Amino acid sequence: MTNGPEGLRCMLMRGGTSKGAYFLAEDLPFDAEARDALLLRVMGSPDPRQIDGLGGAHPLTSKVAVVSASGHPDADVDYLFLQVGVERPEVSDRQNCGNLLAGVGPFAAERGLVEPGSGETSVRIRMLNTGDLATATFATPDGRVAYDGSAEISGVPGTAAPVVIGFQQGDRPLLPTGRARDILADTPVTCVDNGMPTVLIAASALSVSGYEEPAELEEDQRLGERLQEIRLAAGPLMGLGDVSGTTVPKLSLLAPPLHGGAVMTRTFIPVRCHTSIGVLGAAGVAAGLRVPGGVGQDVAELPETGDRLRIEHPTGFLDVESAVDPGTGDSAPAARRTAVVRTARKIFDGTVFPRPV
Ligand code: NQM
């Protein structure tokens, strides 16, 4: 524990298209309630502008990663993701975040939790929110993390060093309702969980094109009500119970691709509309498109060969390597392979001073 009397050791990082505060677990209170109360003060919540803290006034920039050495035989480090409410005094561990995941390997190397290789380093990560495992591989020339590089990801200006992430899905079913298609609130949907519970819906079924700007969709009150109705019906069917106060499941509206990809998306997380798409959200869309009989098959244009699916979103695209075993009469469809390329960057490393109580 290296915290001073008032400050906490903290690294601010961009992970993929999101940004968050990264902590070693040992630098935060062990007690979850005390930890969450402290994180609200660190991020400046509740406040729509988060003016008195690190948060960026949007769910995508109000995120925390807590990292520690892992006791799991197949993992080097444990990563707990916490979504910090912007306008509400809430901290939730009910969802994972594949974007902040991109920074976990580099952060673990920076903090000495793993020994960087000379050339590249692979870190095996257990994601505590779901129990799933991932392996992140990134460049460490001379035994130090390199952030500069030539990888480009849509939604982030410039280029940076790639972080290649491969996922191993745990034991949860890819189709949590047991069906490729359900009708919820009079709307055909496909409920998937390839790391992030997500409800896939054809945009046309909700009388939108799926090409609108996120802000325009957020202003559409009728659409918001339909989405909430679908979400509340999906929660119990997906084994999530009452989801009125939770950030999962997400909802992804699907439309035919505009730029040569497999599908165009607008994703609600779940109230704000994502300016791009989450990593695990995209992994769910990709796997869902491959499910025979799923709603994605009505709108997507799937390549004839190869695992790569280009998921288009409001600010570009996210390529997902996605293979799904389609299942037989006796076995359900299951994700066989999921991998993505992301980038991450250390923005600052220092001491954060939480707002006083
Ligand atoms: O789906 C936003 C993000 C995310 C989550 C959200 C994410 C993921 O873009 O893996 O990364 O869905 O709340 O950071």
Side-chain angles (χ1 to χ4, degrees):
M1 181 100 169
T2 57
N3 298 317
E6 300 159 325
L8 293 167
R9 183 163 60 154
C10 171
M11 188 178 285
L12 188 72
M13 297 184 89
R14 174 181 64 74
T17 50
S18 290
K19 187 159 58 181
Y22 288 65
F23 296 93
L24 286 180
E26 68 189 36
D27 287 336
L28 289 172
F30 180 74
D31 174 69
E33 214 175 300
R35 177 200 65 202
D36 293 353
L38 180 64
L39 290 175
L40 287 169
R41 296 195 284 121
V42 164
M43 300 306 273
S45 300
D47 170 21
R49 291 195 301 152
Q50 292 183 312
I51 197 69
D52 207 17
L54 288 182
H58 192 284
L60 298 178
T61 49
S62 184
K63 297 181 170 235
V64 167
V66 183
V67 183
S68 54
S70 182
H72 190 284
D74 298 323
D76 302 307
V77 300
D78 285 347
Y79 154 51
L80 176 69
F81 169 70
L82 296 171
Q83 180 71 54
V84 179
V86 176
E87 303 188 16
R88 288 155 62 142
E90 290 169 352
V91 178
S92 170
D93 64 2
R94 293 229 13 218
Q95 75 161 84
N96 193 359
C97 175
N99 269 314
L100 281 212
L101 173 65
V104 170
F107 175 75
E110 295 260 6
R111 285 284 188 264
L113 290 181
V114 295
E115 186 68 34
S118 58
E120 70 174 25
T121 300
S122 285
V123 180
R124 299 169 310 157
I125 300 164
R126 173 168 59 159
M127 299 178 283
L128 293 179
N129 304 78
T130 55
D132 294 347
L133 298 168
T135 301
T137 303
F138 48 96
T140 47
D142 314 320
R144 291 177 63 118
V145 180
Y147 294 101
D148 291 347
S150 58
E152 219 175 309
I153 61 169
S154 301
V156 176
T159 63
V163 180
V164 180
I165 307 175
F167 294 92
Q168 288 147 260
Q169 169 88 329
D171 293 335
R172 295 183 321 286
L174 176 64
L175 300 178
T177 71
R179 289 173 294 274
R181 194 179 279 242
D182 289 279
I183 305 288
L184 302 182
D186 296 329
T187 314
V189 305
T190 294
C191 299
V192 288
D193 181 355
N194 193 18
M196 179 76 76
T198 306
V199 181
L200 310 183
I201 312 162
S204 58
L206 297 175
S207 309
V208 293
S209 70
Y211 307 126
E212 295 86 351
E213 287 298 322
E216 190 184 337
L217 292 174
E218 284 179 359
E219 280 163 20
D220 185 338
Q221 208 175 327
R222 177 145 169 67
L223 175 68
E225 284 163 7
R226 285 285 301 276
L227 291 173
Q228 178 68 344
E229 232 185 299
I230 293 169
R231 236 173 69 71
L232 293 180
L237 280 184
M238 296 177 81
L240 300 168
D242 175 8
V243 294
S244 49
T246 68
T247 58
V248 284
K250 315 287 178 184
L251 304 131
S252 234
L253 306 190
L254 309 179
L258 279 186
H259 308 291
V263 74
M264 175 62 86
T265 57
R266 293 292 183 269
T267 302
F268 287 80
I269 61 170
V271 177
R272 303 294 303 267
C273 182
H274 208 305
T275 48
S276 54
I277 190 169
V279 172
L280 294 162
V285 171
L289 295 186
R290 296 210 186 270
V291 170
V295 297
Q297 302 216 320
D298 302 343
V299 287
E301 289 172 20
L302 298 180
E304 276 169 25
T305 55
D307 286 352
R308 182 166 304 178
L309 288 184
R310 176 159 289 187
I311 309 301
E312 299 180 0
H313 59 66
T315 47
F317 60 85
L318 201 162
D319 284 338
V320 184
E321 298 283 328
S322 170
V324 166
D325 284 328
T328 61
D330 298 330
S331 66
R336 181 156 42 82
R337 186 169 106 82
T338 306
V340 296
V341 174
R342 296 268 85 187
T343 65
R345 197 172 80 78
K346 172 167 72 170
I347 298 171
F348 84 63
D349 187 8
T351 305
V352 62
F353 294 89
R355 183 186 66 217
V357 183

